[in-house]
């Protein structure tokens, strides 16, 4: 059984030690600034903490679509475990709460899958990562023919999970804000009709090279047009004497 690192004994860690380890792991993951970097340590920590055979992480996209993000443990799952995960995760997202295959109130249409998993000593847990009232990620946690850990360990785990969800939400928020800034930048420096860099982009480029560009006024345009016309007519007027 896994116990928090740096606690000395390999077994019998106290609830306080699990909470201390939760705080240490939370501190590390909350300092992660992009979503892609949150997932690898998250699935690893969950697998170690819960003695899980496999942990699979999923990004939650608009419409509750799920995109695989990171995984650890066994790469091949029994068909019934994979089917249970694929069924529980969408239902968990729809209901806004985590679901588990061995729950006594499991949906009736899943009883057969649940019985197959129970017969092999396996459990599938669809875990939601929720922050600010929404699901920002999801985990498929699998115990394949191995027992789940006791409640004393899970208390610290759920504290860590809340902080991991917050870290993921903050990272996604930063990415959204950066995308908005990039779109504003493109709008400011691109001609809407042609899609080419506009006059502001030219000024910015010249300024970065220590140069400057002078804006033309209507008077400049009129003067340039008059001079161009005079140059065009000069040979004809000279020929007429």
């Amino acid at each position: 059984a896994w116990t928090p690192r740096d606690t000395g004994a390999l077994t019998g860690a106290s609830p306080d030690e699990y909470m201390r380890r939760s705080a240490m792991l939370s501190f590390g993951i909350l300092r992660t600034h992009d979503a892609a970097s949150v997932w690898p340590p998250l699935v690893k920590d969950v697998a170690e903490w819960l003695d899980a055979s496999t942990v699979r992480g999923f990004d939650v996209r608009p419409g509750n679509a799920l995109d695989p993000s990171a995984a650890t443990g066994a790469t091949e799952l029994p068909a019934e475990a994979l089917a249970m995960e694929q069924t529980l995760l969408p239902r968990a997202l729809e209901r806004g709460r985590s679901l588990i295959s061995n729950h006594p109130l499991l949906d009736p249409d899943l009883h057969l899958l649940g019985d197959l998993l129970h017969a092999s000593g396996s459990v599938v847990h669809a875990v939601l990562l929720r922050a600010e009232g929404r699901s920002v990620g999801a985990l498929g946690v699998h115990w394949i023919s191995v027992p789940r850990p006791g409640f004393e360990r899970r208390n610290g785990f759920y504290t860590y999970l809340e902080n991991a969800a917050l870290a993921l939400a903050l990272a996604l928020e930063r990415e959204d804000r950066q995308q908005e800034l990039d779109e504003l930048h493109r709008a400011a420096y691109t001609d809407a009709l042609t899609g080419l860099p506009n006059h502001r982009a030219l000024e910015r480029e010249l300024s970065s090279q220590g140069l400057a560009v002078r804006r033309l006024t209507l008077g400049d345009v009129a003067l340039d047009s008059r001079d161009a016309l005079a140059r065009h007519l000069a040979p004809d007027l000279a020929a007429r004497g």
Side-chain angles (χ1 to χ4, degrees):
W2 179 87
T3 56
R5 291 182 284 274
D6 304 323
T7 58
L10 296 178
T11 59
S14 71
D16 287 344
E17 288 171 332
Y18 285 116
M19 291 302 295
R20 180 170 67 87
R21 186 59 187 167
S22 172
M24 293 170 61
L25 293 175
S26 296
F27 177 77
I29 206 163
L30 284 168
R31 299 179 66 188
T32 306
H33 295 295
D34 62 280
S37 299
V38 170
W39 281 111
L42 173 55
V43 296
K44 178 178 178 294
D45 290 340
V46 171
E48 289 183 351
W49 200 305
L50 299 181
D51 287 340
S53 307
T54 297
V55 177
R56 290 151 45 98
F58 299 87
D59 289 311
V60 178
R61 303 301 185 191
N64 284 342
L66 292 167
D67 284 343
S69 57
T72 188
T75 56
E76 294 187 7
L77 292 169
E80 60 270 18
L82 186 59
M84 182 65 80
E85 178 195 84
Q86 293 173 344
T87 304
L88 285 183
L89 282 172
R91 295 187 188 187
L93 287 169
E94 181 182 348
R95 300 171 191 180
R97 57 185 175 86
S98 301
L99 299 173
I100 194 165
S101 64
N102 64 351
H103 196 281
L105 297 180
L106 183 69
D107 291 348
D109 63 310
L110 296 179
H111 283 177
L112 178 59
L113 273 179
D115 290 343
L116 290 173
L117 287 169
H118 179 73
S120 65
S122 302
V123 176
V124 177
H125 197 179
V127 180
L128 297 187
L129 298 166
R130 291 184 61 82
E132 302 174 351
R134 64 190 180 97
S135 298
V136 296
L139 295 165
V141 185
H142 298 258
W143 294 269
I144 306 301
S145 302
V146 295
R148 295 173 66 214
F151 285 103
E152 72 283 350
R153 190 188 306 181
R154 279 182 260 165
N155 287 335
F157 165 72
Y158 287 121
T159 300
Y160 166 69
L161 200 66
E162 290 174 1
N163 288 318
L166 179 59
L168 189 58
L170 291 172
L172 292 171
E173 182 72 17
R174 279 189 289 267
E175 291 175 6
D176 288 344
R177 297 292 79 78
Q178 186 59 53
Q179 184 176 358
E180 290 176 2
L181 288 173
D182 291 343
E183 291 174 356
L184 288 173
H185 182 275
R186 283 192 293 270
Y189 292 101
T190 304
D191 181 80
L193 182 62
T194 65
L196 298 173
N198 59 16
H199 189 80
R200 188 180 291 110
L202 174 61
E203 285 184 320
R204 186 170 182 267
E205 180 64 23
L206 291 175
S207 177
S208 69
Q209 298 180 25
L211 303 174
V213 61
R214 184 172 68 88
R215 289 183 178 275
L216 293 176
T217 65
L218 289 176
D220 294 327
V221 174
L223 182 60
D224 288 346
S225 298
R226 186 192 65 188
D227 291 344
L229 181 61
R231 286 194 300 272
H232 179 72
L233 295 177
D236 188 49
L237 292 173
R240 294 181 183 181

